[in-house]
Amino acid sequence: MSAPVRILGIDPGLRRTGWGVVTATGTRLAYVDCGVVTSDGELPLALRLRELYEGVTRIVEAFRPDEVSVEETFVNKDAQATLKLGHARAVALLVPALAGVPVFEYSANLIKKTVAGSGHAEKSQIQAMVKFLLPKAEFRLADAADALAIAITHNSHRGAHALKRSHLPAGATGKAAERIAAALARQA
């Protein structure tokens, strides 16, 4: 049996950043905890980002994940909203990277397809499948359920990441090998 791996899923947002932690032993998942980090919409952007940074830092320090998965930015027609989401996503990527934790990114469609079987699943379908896959999960907000779905997706794709790492050029070590491995992980 493989060793348990603690996975933190993050659903970035400037108003609410959802987070969810699961422990994976092979394909078996166990719910650990989930919640939301919020920022005060009345504050300037820099201070809102600081609130998110401090909140995500507390989560990483408290749960000590082995791996982190983050949803990729969904580009919409409102460029300003997309840019603000990008700022929140940067915080979600930066905090675990500074802690030395590997970070993986997944598109919204891949998350929906992995968890619910359809890349265009509705939020209610995602929440129902998260509850089915993690019966002990207790989430009050969709952001926390989405974060758990991101963690579930990462567990489903961990084998592909390991396979790509095993196909690095022979003798590849150091910074170059790390860059190649990171580039391969982004392509998943």
Side-chain angles (χ1 to χ4, degrees):
M1 181 175 275
S2 60
V5 176
R6 184 162 282 194
I7 302 169
L8 168 62
I10 301 177
D11 180 29
L14 186 56
R15 187 175 301 136
R16 289 185 309 270
T17 291
W19 60 270
V21 181
V22 299
T23 300
T25 307
T27 58
R28 197 172 129 252
L29 289 172
Y31 169 74
V32 177
D33 203 355
C34 68
V36 175
V37 174
T38 60
S39 72
D40 182 348
E42 300 295 317
L43 293 175
L45 179 61
L47 295 178
R48 293 180 75 184
L49 293 172
R50 178 181 172 177
E51 286 182 325
L52 294 179
Y53 176 85
E54 290 170 349
V56 174
T57 298
R58 281 191 300 274
I59 301 305
V60 169
E61 289 173 352
F63 292 99
R64 302 261 182 235
D66 299 303
E67 298 172 359
V68 174
S69 51
V70 178
E71 183 175 14
E72 291 178 347
T73 301
F74 174 79
V75 179
N76 59 34
K77 293 179 184 176
D78 182 355
Q80 194 70 347
T82 301
L83 185 59
K84 286 180 180 178
L85 175 58
H87 293 320
R89 224 173 78 70
V91 170
L93 295 168
L94 178 64
V95 170
L98 288 174
V101 181
V103 181
F104 301 86
E105 302 173 68
Y106 298 96
S107 71
N109 283 350
L110 180 61
I111 294 163
K112 291 174 182 180
K113 186 174 178 100
T114 301
V115 175
S118 168
H120 300 288
E122 299 293 326
K123 286 248 185 220
S124 60
Q125 292 172 293
I126 299 299
Q127 290 175 10
M129 284 306 297
V130 167
K131 195 66 177 158
F132 176 77
L133 295 168
L134 301 169
K136 294 182 180 179
E138 295 180 18
F139 45 85
R140 291 185 191 93
L141 296 171
D143 304 282
D146 290 347
L148 288 168
I150 295 163
I152 291 166
T153 298
H154 178 62
N155 189 56
S156 295
H157 294 273
R158 288 184 75 243
H161 293 298
L163 184 62
K164 286 180 181 179
R165 280 192 303 272
S166 72
H167 284 86
L168 287 175
T173 59
K175 295 284 184 197
E178 291 172 15
R179 284 194 302 274
I180 292 169
L184 289 172
R186 283 191 301 272
Q187 293 176 357

